[in-house]
Amino acid sequence: MTVSEGVLDANETIAEANRSDFDRHGVWVVNMMSAPGAGKTTLLERALEGPTGVRVGVLEGDVQGTLDADRLAAAHVPVTQINTDPGFGGECHLDANMVRSALPETPLDEIDLLVIENVGNLVCPAEFRVGEDVRVMVHSVTEGEDKPLKYPLMFRTCELVLINKIDLLDHLDYDLERFLANLDAVHPGVEHMLVSAKTGDGVDSWREWLLAIAKPGWGA
Amino acid sequence: MTVSEGVLDANETIAEANRSDFDRHGVWVVNMMSAPGAGKTTLLERALEGPTGVRVGVLEGDVQGTLDADRLAAAHVPVTQINTDPGFGGECHLDANMVRSALPETPLDEIDLLVIENVGNLVCPAEFRVGEDVRVMVHSVTEGEDKPLKYPLMFRTCELVLINKIDLLDHLDYDLERFLANLDAVHPGVEHMLVSAKTGDGVDSWREWLLAIAKPGWGA
């Protein structure tokens, strides 16, 4: 018998344990990822404004501080904070074990949808499954069209790409067609939406997409 | 006798070896860091346009591809590419050993200034010294004012903060005073410059700052 286990296998084992806990509580889980400042928190705030008909909770990953958690708590959803900073620079991503440590403080019995806002980073978060059902990736047009080619795993392992800050397109040298071609090169056919958290463009579609996950028949 | 060594100590040892090689060749080294898409490459292109009077080389860190290296090669500086992707998602930062592996291909005898463009990420690059003399951090105003509070080590361990894309300030809800207060909270008194790679605002000061490093009397 050969026993061979690496770090990623350990993460996968814990991710499956998380998944099984989520399933038992009937909670659907979204892992939101992006570069720093792409707009995850604001897009989430916009999606959760007003009555949603869905009981949503948020698990907030940051190196330090509770800035985003404080913002989301104002939207009257239960927020659990994970800080990845053990005293030095901190971890650049959430892994399955960090999420697992936060579960005792997360009211799984009282929610139908858990949104995990990952640490802002286009590399390592994509490498660590945490027990999610779907991954949403936020790309800001201010970052340039080349990002799918430079960070392919991130763009390849998500179910939805939100192309954010489109209100700035007129002020940028950003070629949207080229971005879409680059995206298609690394993840052919992936669903995407053009959005602006600032003007509200596309936010209804994003909100609908997100909330549908927790409604009967999703994924069927 | 107690022998105790962690990963960071190994990195520090190799960083010192790099530093000693740089010193022997009379090469000054700048480590440039930022979030993805903040504008490191473009600011470097702008700084190296035309005759500079300094022999500059670039060491380019990316998860995958040679997009930035190709752009910089067009500026007629020698560029060495490091790809951190070993087959899966890749490493999210450069460490001293990766830089060391690239030294045999870097013409240290023919340059006075080596600019290392790190992988786009606000967490781990700050945790790994690679043998540099100074660190330059590029912050794009599109990322929001809260970044120093969320990624304190990055903002704390650099000698210069370039505040980029200021041409977009009129189109953003970005409070520059608040950003500067946040920056001052984590790194009191750090030098900063307002720049726009697009309009050229502040680029002369940045160029002058960068090239001065390789001129007699710097740091004295």
Side-chain angles (χ1 to χ4, degrees), chain A residues 8 35-37 62-64 67-68 88-92 120-124 127 142-143 146-147 149-153 165 168 171-173 198, chain B residues 8 35-37 62-64 67-68 88-92 120-124 127 142-143 146-147 149-153 165 168 171-173 198:
Chain A
L8 284 174
D62 284 299
V63 174
Q64 276 199 11
L67 290 168
D68 293 346
F88 185 49
E91 291 291 333
C92 62
N121 177 1
L122 291 184
V123 187
C124 302
E127 300 173 8
T142 57
E143 296 162 10
D146 57 352
K147 293 300 163 291
L149 305 180
K150 295 178 80 174
Y151 304 93
L153 187 70
K165 306 195 191 180
L168 294 174
H171 311 291
L172 300 170
D173 301 321
K198 187 171 178 180
Chain B
L8 284 175
D62 284 300
V63 174
Q64 276 199 10
L67 290 168
D68 293 345
F88 185 49
E91 291 290 333
C92 63
N121 179 359
L122 291 184
V123 187
C124 302
E127 299 172 10
T142 57
E143 296 162 12
D146 57 353
K147 293 301 163 292
L149 304 181
K150 294 178 79 173
Y151 303 93
L153 187 70
K165 308 195 191 182
L168 294 174
H171 312 291
L172 300 171
D173 301 320
K198 187 171 179 182

